[in-house]
Structure formats: structure tokens, C-alpha cells
Coordinates of all heavy atoms in Angstrom, one line a residue:
M32 N 22.6 138.1 -33.5 CA 23.2 137.0 -32.6 C 22.4 135.8 -32.9 O 21.2 135.8 -33.2 CB 23.1 137.4 -31.2 CG 24.1 138.3 -30.6 SD 24.0 138.5 -28.9 CE 25.3 137.4 -28.4
L33 N 23.0 134.7 -32.6 CA 22.4 133.4 -32.8 C 21.2 133.1 -31.9 O 20.4 132.3 -32.2 CB 23.4 132.3 -32.8 CG 24.5 132.3 -33.9 CD1 25.5 131.2 -33.6 CD2 23.8 132.0 -35.2
I34 N 21.2 133.7 -30.7 CA 20.1 133.5 -29.8 C 18.8 134.1 -30.3 O 17.8 133.8 -29.7 CB 20.5 133.9 -28.3 CG1 20.7 135.5 -28.3 CG2 21.6 133.2 -27.7 CD1 20.8 136.0 -26.9
R35 N 18.9 134.8 -31.4 CA 17.7 135.4 -32.0 C 17.3 134.7 -33.3 O 16.4 135.1 -34.0 CB 17.8 136.9 -32.2 CG 17.9 137.7 -30.9 CD 18.2 139.1 -31.1 NE 18.3 139.9 -29.9 CZ 19.2 139.8 -29.0 NH1 20.1 138.9 -29.0 NH2 19.2 140.6 -27.9
S36 N 17.9 133.6 -33.5 CA 17.7 132.8 -34.7 C 16.2 132.3 -34.7 O 15.6 132.1 -33.7 CB 18.6 131.5 -34.7 OG 18.2 130.6 -35.7
G37 N 15.7 132.0 -35.9 CA 14.4 131.4 -36.1 C 14.4 129.9 -35.8 O 13.3 129.3 -35.8
D38 N 15.5 129.3 -35.7 CA 15.6 127.9 -35.5 C 15.7 127.6 -34.0 O 16.6 128.1 -33.3 CB 16.9 127.3 -36.2 CG 17.0 125.9 -36.1 OD1 17.5 125.4 -35.0 OD2 16.7 125.1 -37.0
D39 N 14.8 126.8 -33.5 CA 14.8 126.5 -32.0 C 16.1 126.0 -31.5 O 16.6 126.4 -30.5 CB 13.7 125.5 -31.7 CG 12.3 126.1 -31.9 OD1 12.2 127.4 -32.0 OD2 11.3 125.4 -32.0
W40 N 16.7 125.0 -32.2 CA 17.9 124.3 -31.8 C 19.1 125.3 -31.8 O 19.9 125.3 -30.8 CB 18.3 123.1 -32.6 CG 17.6 121.9 -32.2 CD1 16.6 121.2 -32.8 CD2 17.8 121.2 -31.0 NE1 16.3 120.1 -32.1 CE2 17.0 120.0 -31.0 CE3 18.7 121.3 -29.9 CZ2 17.0 119.1 -29.9 CZ3 18.7 120.4 -28.9 CH2 17.8 119.3 -28.9
V41 N 19.2 126.2 -32.8 CA 20.2 127.2 -32.8 C 20.1 128.1 -31.7 O 21.1 128.4 -31.0 CB 20.2 127.9 -34.2 CG1 21.2 129.1 -34.2 CG2 20.6 127.0 -35.3
R42 N 18.9 128.6 -31.4 CA 18.6 129.5 -30.3 C 19.0 128.9 -28.9 O 19.7 129.5 -28.1 CB 17.2 129.9 -30.3 CG 16.9 131.3 -30.4 CD 15.5 131.8 -30.3 NE 14.4 130.8 -30.1 CZ 13.7 130.2 -31.1 NH1 14.0 130.5 -32.3 NH2 12.8 129.3 -30.8
V43 N 18.6 127.6 -28.7 CA 18.8 127.0 -27.4 C 20.3 126.7 -27.2 O 20.9 126.9 -26.2 CB 17.9 125.7 -27.3 CG1 18.4 124.8 -26.1 CG2 16.5 126.1 -27.1
E44 N 20.9 126.1 -28.2 CA 22.3 125.8 -28.1 C 23.2 127.1 -28.0 O 24.2 127.1 -27.3 CB 22.8 124.9 -29.3 CG 22.2 123.5 -29.3 CD 22.5 122.7 -28.0 OE1 23.6 122.9 -27.4 OE2 21.6 121.9 -27.6
S45 N 22.8 128.1 -28.7 CA 23.5 129.4 -28.6 C 23.4 130.0 -27.2 O 24.4 130.5 -26.6 CB 23.0 130.4 -29.6 OG 23.3 129.9 -30.9
A46 N 22.2 129.9 -26.6 CA 22.0 130.4 -25.3 C 22.8 129.6 -24.3 O 23.4 130.2 -23.4 CB 20.5 130.4 -24.9
H47 N 22.8 128.3 -24.5 CA 23.6 127.5 -23.6 C 25.1 127.8 -23.7 O 25.8 128.0 -22.7 CB 23.4 126.0 -23.9 CG 24.1 125.1 -23.0 ND1 25.0 124.1 -23.5 CD2 24.1 124.9 -21.6 CE1 25.5 123.5 -22.4 NE2 25.0 123.9 -21.3
A48 N 25.6 128.0 -24.9 CA 27.0 128.3 -25.1 C 27.3 129.7 -24.6 O 28.4 129.9 -24.0 CB 27.3 128.3 -26.6
L49 N 26.4 130.7 -24.7 CA 26.6 132.0 -24.2 C 26.8 132.0 -22.7 O 27.7 132.6 -22.1 CB 25.4 132.9 -24.6 CG 25.4 134.3 -24.0 CD1 26.6 135.1 -24.7 CD2 24.1 135.0 -24.3
W50 N 25.9 131.2 -22.0 CA 26.1 131.1 -20.6 C 27.4 130.4 -20.2 O 28.1 130.8 -19.3 CB 24.9 130.3 -20.0 CG 25.1 129.8 -18.6 CD1 25.2 130.6 -17.5 CD2 25.3 128.5 -18.1 NE1 25.4 129.9 -16.4 CE2 25.5 128.6 -16.7 CE3 25.3 127.3 -18.8 CZ2 25.7 127.4 -16.0 CZ3 25.5 126.1 -18.0 CH2 25.7 126.2 -16.6
R51 N 27.7 129.3 -20.9 CA 28.9 128.6 -20.6 C 30.2 129.4 -20.7 O 31.1 129.3 -20.0 CB 29.1 127.3 -21.4 CG 28.0 126.3 -21.2 CD 28.1 125.6 -19.9 NE 29.4 125.0 -19.7 CZ 29.7 123.8 -19.5 NH1 28.7 122.9 -19.2 NH2 30.9 123.3 -19.4
V52 N 30.2 130.3 -21.8 CA 31.4 131.1 -22.1 C 31.5 132.3 -21.2 O 32.5 132.7 -20.6 CB 31.4 131.5 -23.5 CG1 32.5 132.5 -23.8 CG2 31.6 130.3 -24.4
T53 N 30.3 133.0 -21.0 CA 30.3 134.3 -20.2 C 29.9 134.1 -18.8 O 30.3 135.0 -18.0 CB 29.4 135.3 -20.9 OG1 28.0 134.8 -20.7 CG2 29.7 135.5 -22.3
G54 N 29.2 133.1 -18.4 CA 28.7 133.0 -17.1 C 27.5 133.9 -16.8 O 26.9 133.8 -15.7
D55 N 27.1 134.6 -17.8 CA 25.9 135.5 -17.6 C 24.6 134.7 -17.9 O 24.5 134.2 -19.0 CB 26.0 136.7 -18.6 CG 24.9 137.7 -18.5 OD1 24.2 137.7 -17.4 OD2 24.6 138.4 -19.5
T56 N 23.8 134.7 -16.9 CA 22.5 133.9 -17.0 C 21.4 134.7 -17.6 O 20.4 134.0 -18.1 CB 22.1 133.3 -15.7 OG1 21.8 134.4 -14.8 CG2 23.2 132.4 -15.1
A57 N 21.4 136.0 -17.6 CA 20.2 136.8 -17.9 C 19.7 136.5 -19.4 O 18.5 136.1 -19.5 CB 20.5 138.2 -17.8
E58 N 20.5 136.7 -20.4 CA 20.1 136.5 -21.7 C 19.8 135.0 -22.0 O 18.8 134.7 -22.7 CB 21.1 137.0 -22.7 CG 21.0 138.5 -23.1 CD 21.9 138.8 -24.2 OE1 23.1 139.0 -24.0 OE2 21.4 138.9 -25.4
A59 N 20.7 134.2 -21.6 CA 20.5 132.7 -21.8 C 19.2 132.2 -21.2 O 18.4 131.5 -21.8 CB 21.7 132.0 -21.3
R60 N 19.0 132.6 -20.0 CA 17.8 132.2 -19.2 C 16.5 132.6 -19.9 O 15.5 131.9 -20.0 CB 17.8 132.7 -17.8 CG 16.7 132.2 -17.0 CD 16.7 132.7 -15.6 NE 17.5 133.9 -15.6 CZ 18.0 134.6 -14.6 NH1 17.7 134.2 -13.4 NH2 18.7 135.6 -14.7
A61 N 16.5 133.8 -20.5 CA 15.3 134.3 -21.2 C 15.0 133.5 -22.4 O 13.8 133.1 -22.6 CB 15.5 135.8 -21.6
V62 N 16.0 133.2 -23.2 CA 15.8 132.3 -24.4 C 15.3 130.9 -24.0 O 14.4 130.4 -24.5 CB 17.1 132.2 -25.2 CG1 17.0 131.2 -26.3 CG2 17.5 133.6 -25.8
L63 N 16.0 130.3 -23.0 CA 15.6 129.0 -22.6 C 14.3 128.9 -21.9 O 13.5 128.0 -22.1 CB 16.7 128.4 -21.6 CG 18.1 128.3 -22.2 CD1 19.1 128.0 -21.1 CD2 18.1 127.3 -23.3
T64 N 13.9 129.9 -21.2 CA 12.6 130.0 -20.5 C 11.5 130.0 -21.6 O 10.5 129.3 -21.5 CB 12.5 131.2 -19.6 OG1 13.5 131.1 -18.6 CG2 11.1 131.3 -18.9
D65 N 11.7 130.8 -22.6 CA 10.7 130.9 -23.7 C 10.5 129.5 -24.4 O 9.4 129.1 -24.7 CB 11.1 131.9 -24.8 CG 10.9 133.3 -24.3 OD1 10.2 133.6 -23.3 OD2 11.5 134.2 -25.0
E66 N 11.6 128.8 -24.5 CA 11.5 127.5 -25.1 C 10.8 126.4 -24.3 O 10.2 125.5 -24.8 CB 13.0 127.0 -25.5 CG 13.0 125.8 -26.3 CD 12.3 126.0 -27.7 OE1 12.5 127.0 -28.3 OE2 11.5 125.1 -28.1
V67 N 11.0 126.5 -23.0 CA 10.4 125.5 -22.1 C 8.9 125.7 -21.7 O 8.2 124.8 -21.3 CB 11.2 125.2 -20.8 CG1 12.6 124.7 -21.2 CG2 11.2 126.4 -19.9
R68 N 8.4 126.9 -21.9 CA 7.0 127.2 -21.5 C 6.0 126.3 -22.1 O 5.1 125.9 -21.4 CB 6.7 128.7 -21.9 CG 7.2 129.7 -21.0 CD 6.6 131.0 -21.2 NE 7.1 131.9 -20.1 CZ 7.9 132.9 -20.3 NH1 8.5 133.1 -21.5 NH2 8.3 133.7 -19.3
P69 N 6.1 125.8 -23.3 CA 5.1 124.8 -23.8 C 5.0 123.5 -23.1 O 4.1 122.8 -23.2 CB 5.5 124.6 -25.3 CG 6.2 125.9 -25.7 CD 7.0 126.2 -24.4
L70 N 6.1 123.2 -22.3 CA 6.0 122.0 -21.5 C 4.9 122.0 -20.5 O 4.4 120.9 -20.2 CB 7.4 121.8 -20.7 CG 8.6 121.4 -21.5 CD1 9.8 121.5 -20.7 CD2 8.4 120.0 -22.2
V71 N 4.4 123.1 -20.1 CA 3.3 123.2 -19.2 C 2.1 122.6 -19.7 O 1.3 122.0 -19.0 CB 3.0 124.7 -18.8 CG1 1.7 124.9 -18.0 CG2 4.2 125.3 -18.0
D72 N 1.9 122.7 -21.1 CA 0.8 122.1 -21.7 C 1.0 120.7 -22.3 O 0.2 120.2 -23.0 CB 0.3 123.0 -22.9 CG -0.1 124.4 -22.4 OD1 -0.7 124.5 -21.4 OD2 0.3 125.4 -23.1
G73 N 2.2 120.1 -21.9 CA 2.5 118.8 -22.4 C 3.1 118.8 -23.8 O 3.2 117.7 -24.4
D74 N 3.5 119.9 -24.3 CA 4.1 120.0 -25.6 C 5.6 119.7 -25.5 O 6.4 120.6 -25.2 CB 3.8 121.4 -26.2 CG 4.3 121.5 -27.6 OD1 4.9 120.6 -28.2 OD2 4.2 122.6 -28.2
V75 N 5.9 118.5 -25.7 CA 7.3 118.0 -25.5 C 8.0 117.8 -26.9 O 7.5 117.2 -27.7 CB 7.4 116.7 -24.7 CG1 8.8 116.3 -24.5 CG2 6.6 116.8 -23.4
L76 N 9.2 118.5 -27.0 CA 10.0 118.3 -28.1 C 11.5 118.1 -27.6 O 11.8 118.5 -26.5 CB 10.0 119.5 -29.1 CG 8.8 119.8 -29.8 CD1 8.9 121.1 -30.5 CD2 8.4 118.7 -30.8
P77 N 12.3 117.4 -28.3 CA 13.7 117.2 -27.9 C 14.4 118.5 -27.5 O 15.1 118.6 -26.5 CB 14.4 116.6 -29.0 CG 13.3 115.8 -29.7 CD 12.1 116.7 -29.6
V78 N 14.1 119.6 -28.2 CA 14.8 120.9 -27.9 C 14.3 121.4 -26.6 O 15.0 122.1 -25.9 CB 14.5 121.9 -29.1 CG1 13.1 122.3 -29.2 CG2 15.5 123.1 -29.0
R79 N 13.1 121.2 -26.2 CA 12.5 121.6 -24.9 C 13.1 120.8 -23.8 O 13.4 121.4 -22.7 CB 11.0 121.5 -24.9 CG 10.4 122.5 -25.9 CD 8.9 122.6 -25.7 NE 8.4 123.6 -26.6 CZ 8.0 123.4 -27.8 NH1 8.0 122.2 -28.3 NH2 7.5 124.4 -28.6
R80 N 13.4 119.6 -24.0 CA 14.0 118.8 -23.0 C 15.5 119.3 -22.7 O 15.9 119.5 -21.6 CB 14.1 117.3 -23.4 CG 12.8 116.6 -23.3 CD 12.9 115.1 -23.4 NE 14.0 114.5 -24.2 CZ 14.0 114.2 -25.4 NH1 12.8 114.3 -26.1 NH2 15.0 113.7 -26.0
A81 N 16.2 119.6 -23.8 CA 17.5 120.2 -23.7 C 17.5 121.5 -23.0 O 18.3 121.8 -22.1 CB 18.1 120.3 -25.1
A82 N 16.6 122.4 -23.3 CA 16.5 123.7 -22.7 C 16.2 123.6 -21.2 O 16.8 124.3 -20.4 CB 15.4 124.5 -23.4
L83 N 15.3 122.6 -20.8 CA 15.1 122.4 -19.4 C 16.3 121.9 -18.7 O 16.6 122.4 -17.5 CB 13.9 121.5 -19.2 CG 13.3 121.4 -17.8 CD1 12.7 122.8 -17.4 CD2 12.3 120.3 -17.7
R84 N 17.0 121.0 -19.3 CA 18.3 120.5 -18.7 C 19.3 121.7 -18.5 O 19.9 121.8 -17.5 CB 18.9 119.5 -19.6 CG 18.6 118.1 -19.3 CD 19.5 117.0 -20.0 NE 20.1 117.5 -21.2 CZ 19.6 117.3 -22.4 NH1 18.4 116.7 -22.6 NH2 20.2 117.7 -23.5
Y85 N 19.4 122.5 -19.5 CA 20.3 123.6 -19.4 C 19.9 124.6 -18.3 O 20.8 125.1 -17.6 CB 20.4 124.4 -20.7 CG 21.0 123.6 -21.9 CD1 20.7 123.9 -23.2 CD2 21.8 122.5 -21.6 CE1 21.2 123.1 -24.2 CE2 22.3 121.7 -22.7 CZ 22.0 122.0 -24.0 OH 22.5 121.3 -25.0
L86 N 18.6 124.9 -18.2 CA 18.2 125.7 -17.1 C 18.5 125.1 -15.7 O 18.9 125.8 -14.8 CB 16.7 126.0 -17.2 CG 16.2 127.0 -18.3 CD1 14.8 126.9 -18.5 CD2 16.7 128.4 -17.9
A87 N 18.3 123.8 -15.6 CA 18.7 123.1 -14.4 C 20.2 123.2 -14.1 O 20.6 123.4 -13.0 CB 18.3 121.6 -14.5
D88 N 21.0 123.1 -15.1 CA 22.4 123.2 -15.0 C 22.8 124.6 -14.5 O 23.8 124.8 -13.7 CB 23.2 122.9 -16.3 CG 23.1 121.4 -16.7 OD1 22.7 120.6 -15.8 OD2 23.4 121.1 -17.9
M89 N 22.1 125.6 -15.0 CA 22.4 127.0 -14.7 C 22.1 127.3 -13.2 O 22.7 128.1 -12.6 CB 21.6 128.0 -15.5 CG 22.0 127.9 -17.0 SD 20.8 128.8 -18.0 CE 21.4 130.5 -17.8
G90 N 21.1 126.6 -12.7 CA 20.7 126.8 -11.3 C 20.0 128.2 -11.2 O 20.0 128.8 -10.1
A91 N 19.5 128.7 -12.2 CA 19.0 130.1 -12.2 C 17.4 130.0 -12.3 O 16.8 130.3 -13.3 CB 19.5 130.9 -13.4
A92 N 16.8 129.7 -11.2 CA 15.4 129.4 -11.1 C 14.7 130.7 -10.8 O 14.6 131.2 -9.7 CB 15.1 128.4 -10.1
T93 N 14.1 131.3 -11.9 CA 13.2 132.5 -11.7 C 11.8 132.0 -11.5 O 11.5 130.8 -11.7 CB 13.3 133.4 -13.0 OG1 12.9 132.6 -14.1 CG2 14.7 133.9 -13.2
E94 N 10.9 132.8 -11.3 CA 9.5 132.4 -11.0 C 8.9 131.7 -12.3 O 8.3 130.7 -12.1 CB 8.7 133.6 -10.6 CG 7.5 133.2 -9.8 CD 7.7 132.2 -8.7 OE1 8.6 132.4 -7.8 OE2 7.0 131.2 -8.7
P95 N 9.1 132.3 -13.5 CA 8.6 131.5 -14.7 C 9.2 130.1 -14.9 O 8.5 129.2 -15.2 CB 8.9 132.4 -15.8 CG 9.1 133.8 -15.3 CD 9.7 133.6 -13.9
V96 N 10.5 130.0 -14.6 CA 11.1 128.7 -14.7 C 10.6 127.8 -13.6 O 10.3 126.6 -13.9 CB 12.7 128.8 -14.6 CG1 13.3 127.5 -14.6 CG2 13.2 129.7 -15.7
L97 N 10.4 128.3 -12.4 CA 9.9 127.4 -11.4 C 8.4 127.0 -11.7 O 8.0 125.9 -11.4 CB 9.9 128.2 -10.0 CG 11.2 128.2 -9.3 CD1 11.1 129.2 -8.2 CD2 11.6 126.9 -8.8
A98 N 7.6 127.9 -12.3 CA 6.3 127.5 -12.7 C 6.3 126.4 -13.7 O 5.5 125.4 -13.5 CB 5.6 128.7 -13.3
V99 N 7.2 126.4 -14.6 CA 7.3 125.3 -15.6 C 7.7 124.0 -14.9 O 7.2 122.9 -15.1 CB 8.2 125.6 -16.7 CG1 8.5 124.4 -17.6 CG2 7.7 126.8 -17.6
A100 N 8.7 124.1 -14.0 CA 9.2 123.0 -13.3 C 8.2 122.3 -12.5 O 8.0 121.1 -12.4 CB 10.5 123.3 -12.5
R101 N 7.4 123.1 -11.8 CA 6.3 122.6 -10.9 C 5.2 121.9 -11.8 O 4.7 120.9 -11.4 CB 5.7 123.7 -10.1 CG 6.7 124.2 -9.0 CD 6.0 125.3 -8.2 NE 7.0 125.9 -7.2 CZ 7.3 127.2 -7.1 NH1 6.7 128.1 -7.9 NH2 8.2 127.6 -6.3
A102 N 4.9 122.5 -12.9 CA 3.9 121.9 -13.8 C 4.4 120.6 -14.3 O 3.6 119.6 -14.4 CB 3.6 122.9 -15.0
V103 N 5.7 120.5 -14.6 CA 6.2 119.2 -15.1 C 6.2 118.2 -14.0 O 5.7 117.1 -14.2 CB 7.7 119.4 -15.6 CG1 8.4 118.1 -15.7 CG2 7.7 120.2 -16.9
E104 N 6.6 118.6 -12.8 CA 6.6 117.6 -11.7 C 5.2 117.1 -11.3 O 5.0 116.0 -10.9 CB 7.2 118.3 -10.4 CG 8.7 118.4 -10.5 CD 9.3 119.0 -9.3 OE1 8.8 120.0 -8.8 OE2 10.3 118.4 -8.8
S105 N 4.2 118.0 -11.5 CA 2.8 117.6 -11.1 C 2.0 117.0 -12.2 O 0.9 116.6 -12.0 CB 2.1 118.8 -10.5 OG 1.9 119.8 -11.5
S106 N 2.6 116.9 -13.4 CA 1.8 116.3 -14.5 C 1.6 114.8 -14.2 O 2.5 114.1 -13.9 CB 2.6 116.5 -15.8 OG 1.9 115.9 -16.9
P107 N 0.3 114.4 -14.4 CA 0.0 113.0 -14.2 C 0.3 112.1 -15.3 O 0.2 110.9 -15.2 CB -1.5 113.1 -13.9 CG -2.0 114.2 -14.7 CD -0.9 115.2 -14.7
R108 N 0.7 112.7 -16.5 CA 1.0 111.9 -17.6 C 2.4 111.9 -18.0 O 3.2 112.7 -17.5 CB 0.2 112.4 -18.8 CG 0.5 113.8 -19.2 CD -0.4 114.2 -20.4 NE -0.1 115.6 -20.6 CZ -0.5 116.2 -21.7 NH1 -1.2 115.6 -22.6 NH2 -0.2 117.5 -21.9
R109 N 2.8 110.9 -18.8 CA 4.2 110.8 -19.2 C 4.5 111.9 -20.2 O 3.8 112.2 -21.1 CB 4.5 109.4 -19.9 CG 4.3 108.3 -19.0 CD 5.6 108.1 -18.2 NE 5.4 106.9 -17.3 CZ 6.2 106.7 -16.3 NH1 7.2 107.5 -16.1 NH2 6.1 105.6 -15.6
L110 N 5.6 112.6 -20.0 CA 6.0 113.7 -20.8 C 7.1 113.2 -21.7 O 8.3 113.0 -21.3 CB 6.5 114.9 -20.0 CG 5.4 115.5 -19.1 CD1 6.0 116.5 -18.1 CD2 4.3 116.1 -19.9
A111 N 6.8 113.0 -23.0 CA 7.7 112.5 -24.0 C 7.3 112.8 -25.4 O 6.1 113.1 -25.6 CB 7.9 111.0 -23.8
D112 N 8.2 112.8 -26.3 CA 7.8 113.1 -27.7 C 7.9 111.9 -28.6 O 7.7 111.9 -29.8 CB 8.7 114.2 -28.3 CG 10.2 113.8 -28.3 OD1 10.9 113.9 -27.3 OD2 10.7 113.3 -29.3
S113 N 8.2 110.7 -28.0 CA 8.2 109.5 -28.8 C 7.6 108.4 -27.9 O 7.3 108.6 -26.7 CB 9.6 109.1 -29.2 OG 10.4 108.9 -28.0
G114 N 7.4 107.3 -28.6 CA 6.7 106.2 -27.9 C 7.7 105.1 -27.5 O 8.9 105.2 -27.5
G115 N 7.1 104.0 -27.1 CA 8.0 102.8 -26.7 C 8.7 103.1 -25.4 O 8.3 103.9 -24.6
W116 N 9.8 102.4 -25.2 CA 10.7 102.5 -24.0 C 11.2 103.9 -23.9 O 11.5 104.4 -22.7 CB 11.8 101.5 -24.0 CG 12.8 101.7 -25.1 CD1 12.7 101.1 -26.4 CD2 13.9 102.5 -25.1 NE1 13.8 101.5 -27.1 CE2 14.6 102.4 -26.4 CE3 14.5 103.3 -24.1 CZ2 15.7 103.0 -26.7 CZ3 15.7 104.0 -24.5 CH2 16.3 103.8 -25.7
R117 N 11.4 104.7 -25.0 CA 11.9 106.0 -24.9 C 11.0 107.0 -24.1 O 11.4 107.9 -23.5 CB 12.1 106.6 -26.3 CG 13.3 106.0 -26.9 CD 13.6 106.6 -28.3 NE 14.7 106.1 -28.9 CZ 14.7 105.0 -29.7 NH1 13.5 104.4 -30.0 NH2 15.8 104.5 -30.3
T118 N 9.7 106.6 -24.1 CA 8.7 107.4 -23.3 C 9.2 107.5 -21.9 O 9.2 108.6 -21.3 CB 7.3 106.8 -23.4 OG1 6.9 106.8 -24.8 CG2 6.3 107.6 -22.6
F119 N 9.5 106.4 -21.3 CA 9.9 106.4 -19.9 C 11.2 107.1 -19.6 O 11.3 107.9 -18.7 CB 10.0 104.9 -19.4 CG 8.7 104.2 -19.5 CD1 8.5 103.3 -20.5 CD2 7.7 104.4 -18.6 CE1 7.3 102.7 -20.7 CE2 6.5 103.7 -18.7 CZ 6.3 102.9 -19.7
V120 N 12.2 106.9 -20.5 CA 13.5 107.6 -20.4 C 13.3 109.1 -20.5 O 13.9 109.9 -19.7 CB 14.5 107.1 -21.4 CG1 15.8 107.9 -21.4 CG2 14.7 105.6 -21.2
Q121 N 12.6 109.6 -21.5 CA 12.4 111.0 -21.7 C 11.6 111.6 -20.5 O 11.9 112.7 -20.1 CB 11.7 111.2 -23.0 CG 12.5 110.9 -24.2 CD 11.8 111.0 -25.5 OE1 10.6 111.4 -25.6 NE2 12.4 110.7 -26.6
D122 N 10.6 110.9 -20.1 CA 9.8 111.4 -18.9 C 10.7 111.6 -17.7 O 10.6 112.6 -17.0 CB 8.6 110.5 -18.7 CG 7.7 111.0 -17.5 OD1 7.1 112.1 -17.7 OD2 7.7 110.4 -16.5
E123 N 11.5 110.6 -17.4 CA 12.4 110.6 -16.3 C 13.4 111.8 -16.4 O 13.7 112.4 -15.4 CB 13.1 109.3 -16.1 CG 12.1 108.2 -15.6 CD 12.7 106.8 -15.5 OE1 14.0 106.7 -15.8 OE2 12.0 105.9 -15.3
E124 N 13.9 112.0 -17.6 CA 14.9 113.0 -17.9 C 14.2 114.4 -17.6 O 14.8 115.3 -16.9 CB 15.3 113.0 -19.3 CG 16.3 114.1 -19.7 CD 16.6 114.0 -21.2 OE1 16.7 112.9 -21.8 OE2 16.8 115.1 -21.8
I125 N 13.0 114.6 -18.1 CA 12.3 115.9 -17.9 C 12.0 116.1 -16.4 O 12.3 117.2 -15.9 CB 11.0 115.9 -18.7 CG1 11.4 116.0 -20.2 CG2 10.2 117.1 -18.3 CD1 10.2 115.8 -21.1
R126 N 11.6 115.1 -15.8 CA 11.2 115.2 -14.4 C 12.5 115.4 -13.5 O 12.4 116.2 -12.5 CB 10.4 114.0 -13.9 CG 9.0 114.0 -14.5 CD 8.2 112.8 -14.0 NE 7.0 112.7 -14.8 CZ 5.9 113.4 -14.5 NH1 5.9 114.2 -13.5 NH2 4.8 113.3 -15.3
A127 N 13.6 114.8 -13.8 CA 14.8 115.0 -13.1 C 15.3 116.5 -13.2 O 15.7 117.1 -12.2 CB 15.9 114.1 -13.6
A128 N 15.2 117.0 -14.4 CA 15.6 118.4 -14.6 C 14.7 119.4 -13.8 O 15.1 120.3 -13.2 CB 15.6 118.8 -16.1
A129 N 13.4 119.1 -13.9 CA 12.4 119.9 -13.1 C 12.7 119.8 -11.6 O 12.6 120.9 -11.0 CB 11.0 119.4 -13.5
A130 N 13.0 118.6 -11.1 CA 13.3 118.5 -9.7 C 14.5 119.2 -9.3 O 14.6 119.9 -8.3 CB 13.4 117.0 -9.4
A131 N 15.5 119.2 -10.2 CA 16.8 120.0 -9.9 C 16.5 121.5 -9.8 O 17.1 122.2 -9.0 CB 17.8 119.7 -11.0
I132 N 15.6 121.9 -10.7 CA 15.2 123.3 -10.7 C 14.5 123.7 -9.4 O 14.8 124.7 -8.7 CB 14.4 123.7 -11.9 CG1 15.3 123.7 -13.1 CG2 13.7 125.1 -11.7 CD1 14.5 123.7 -14.5
T133 N 13.5 122.9 -9.0 CA 12.8 123.3 -7.8 C 13.6 123.1 -6.5 O 13.4 123.8 -5.6 CB 11.5 122.4 -7.7 OG1 11.8 121.0 -7.7 CG2 10.5 122.7 -8.8
R134 N 14.6 122.2 -6.5 CA 15.5 122.0 -5.4 C 16.5 123.2 -5.3 O 16.9 123.5 -4.2 CB 16.3 120.7 -5.5 CG 15.5 119.5 -5.0 CD 16.4 118.3 -4.9 NE 17.3 118.1 -6.0 CZ 17.2 117.3 -7.0 NH1 16.1 116.6 -7.1 NH2 18.1 117.2 -7.9
S135 N 16.8 123.8 -6.4 CA 17.8 124.9 -6.4 C 17.3 126.2 -5.8 O 18.0 127.1 -5.6 CB 18.3 125.1 -7.8 OG 17.4 125.8 -8.6
R136 N 16.0 126.2 -5.6 CA 15.4 127.4 -5.1 C 15.6 127.6 -3.7 O 15.6 127.0 -2.8 CB 13.9 127.4 -5.4 CG 13.1 128.7 -5.1 CD 13.6 129.7 -6.0 NE 12.6 130.8 -6.1 CZ 12.9 132.0 -6.4 NH1 14.1 132.3 -6.6 NH2 12.0 132.9 -6.4

């Protein structure tokens, strides 16, 4: 299956599609959760932002997902993978997804 791909984007987008088509959150959430864990350490990539957004859309906040969301919300630094004005946009996007996750609990 594509959710076991070695490519991060393929895995994340496949997990999102699997959830959208089947409505089953279990497999998709596991893949997306693995992808967002590095956000706790400030390791931000576009694919991680997408995975966090998808988890927020799913509304499936497990304890590991909540831990990541809380770490993102409490981070004192800007969470972004690029500089300039995009830093603020990306940080706000990540924090909005994290807030949606913690509110869904």
C-alpha cells in the first residue's frame, strides 16, 4: 500500500486519501502521527504541516497527537521551514491546526 511508501509525501497524502474515502481513522492516524512527531523538537517540513492539518481535520485526537499539539502550542519560537514573511504564515498555520486538535478533545 502507498501508506507504507518510503516517500513522506506519498505516505501522508495516501493516509489522507484513505481516511477521506473510507472514513476509517485508525491506519491514517497512525501514519500521520508518525509524521508529525518531529514537530515536538521544532523539526518543521511542509509535509509535517500538511499531516498536522489532516489530523486536525480528522478530529481524531489520540494522546500522542495531543502531545504533539500541546508541544506546538507551547513552543516559544516560530515554527516554520522557511524565512521571511512565510515564517509567520507557516507558524500560524501550524498553531491553528494544533489548537483545533486540542479543542477537539
Side-chain angles (χ1 to χ4, degrees):
M32 279 186 104
L33 292 174
I34 61 172
R35 289 172 182 67
S36 170
D38 183 283
D39 293 343
W40 274 112
V41 170
R42 239 184 359 266
V43 166
E44 293 300 330
S45 298
H47 183 237
L49 177 67
W50 167 66
R51 296 288 305 233
V52 170
T53 67
D55 180 22
T56 61
E58 272 190 282
R60 184 182 20 192
V62 170
L63 297 172
T64 301
D65 286 344
E66 189 61 43
V67 299
R68 278 193 176 106
L70 288 172
V71 170
D72 300 319
D74 184 0
V75 181
L76 293 174
V78 69
R79 290 190 177 91
R80 289 194 330 265
L83 192 64
R84 266 194 334 268
Y85 296 156
L86 284 166
D88 290 346
M89 292 169 84
T93 60
E94 206 45 54
V96 173
L97 281 170
V99 171
R101 289 180 187 126
V103 165
E104 286 184 310
S105 66
S106 178
R108 62 184 174 164
R109 295 279 180 195
L110 298 171
D112 62 277
S113 62
W116 64 269
R117 287 183 181 88
T118 300
F119 299 101
V120 173
Q121 291 173 4
D122 182 67
E123 289 172 6
E124 177 186 327
I125 291 170
R126 289 178 190 278
I132 290 168
T133 57
R134 280 193 313 266
S135 73
R136 188 65 160 154

